[in-house]
Amino acid sequence: MDKEERKQRLIEELGVHFETEYSLPPLAARIFANLVVTDELGLTFEDCLEKRGASKSSISTSLNLLLQLGMITYFTKSGDRRRYFKIADKSDFFIKKLEQALKKAGNESKMIQKVAAYDQENNPEKYEQYKQKIEVYIECLNQNKKTYQKTIETLGKLF
């Protein structure tokens, strides 16, 4: 398998990962994957069109979605009216993903505690049956929140 075939397989694998993990539509996921593995400083709209073989409107919609999500940015070159798309600053991207995970863990913890409080008051038998498991789960969420917060702080200092 030559270099280009390996690159295309990686783009496809990354695309599936981004679809699943970031809930991206397939085309946007593949464009993002292309931007992650490109050797270029950035890709133009035309480059994305050529590499993905989709319609202009589909490419435009996907690029706009990635821009809105903060996953990509663009720059221009002096004397060139085209926009060059690239992945957003990695530190910003990583921090945003960790902040989302932190928020998700916090929301999960609050909801589990609300359900437990409801059960404690309205269904004591059920509460007692699951109390220990809930405590372990809440502790796990709290540890994850601490880890996410520490990692966000560390990344913030590195970049």
Side-chain angles (χ1 to χ4, degrees), residues 1-157:
M1 179 183 326
D2 69 1
K3 180 182 176 184
E4 188 58 32
E5 287 175 322
R6 286 195 320 272
K7 183 177 182 180
Q8 291 309 313
R9 281 190 178 187
L10 178 58
I11 288 169
E12 183 59 26
E13 191 175 336
L14 275 172
V16 170
H17 171 75
F18 296 143
E19 276 184 67
T20 305
E21 294 300 316
Y22 304 155
S23 301
L24 290 175
L27 181 58
R30 298 321 182 277
I31 290 171
F32 189 66
N34 261 108
L35 291 168
V36 168
V37 300
T38 188
D39 299 332
E40 306 296 322
L41 216 49
L43 298 177
T44 64
F45 179 88
E46 292 76 20
D47 293 334
C48 294
L49 190 62
E50 179 185 316
K51 290 178 186 305
R52 298 309 335 149
S55 70
K56 287 182 178 183
S57 69
S58 295
I59 296 290
S60 179
T61 299
S62 295
L63 287 170
N64 284 328
L65 173 65
L66 293 169
L67 284 166
Q68 288 172 355
L69 293 173
M71 295 176 75
I72 66 171
T73 61
Y74 70 88
F75 62 95
T76 57
K77 295 179 181 178
S78 182
D80 186 349
R81 293 176 42 181
R82 296 180 295 176
R83 294 190 299 175
Y84 290 81
F85 299 93
K86 64 179 189 163
I87 60 171
D89 182 346
K90 285 184 174 112
S91 65
D92 291 344
F93 178 72
F94 292 150
I95 289 172
K96 280 182 185 178
K97 294 308 294 176
L98 288 166
E99 285 172 342
Q100 288 172 352
L102 178 63
K103 184 177 179 181
K104 186 176 179 178
N107 290 340
E108 176 83 358
S109 179
K110 284 178 192 172
M111 293 311 298
I112 295 294
Q113 289 173 355
K114 282 183 179 185
V115 170
Y118 175 84
D119 283 345
Q120 186 176 19
E121 186 176 317
N122 298 293
N123 196 346
E125 289 176 16
K126 182 179 175 188
Y127 173 77
E128 286 302 321
Q129 180 182 359
Y130 292 104
K131 179 182 175 185
Q132 204 171 16
K133 290 178 182 178
I134 290 170
E135 288 171 356
V136 170
Y137 185 61
I138 295 293
E139 179 57 28
C140 175
L141 290 172
N142 289 336
Q143 288 300 319
N144 286 342
K145 286 171 28 183
K146 288 177 188 173
T147 301
Y148 294 144
Q149 191 60 49
K150 183 178 178 184
T151 306
I152 289 167
E153 291 168 9
T154 302
L155 283 172
K157 291 175 186 173

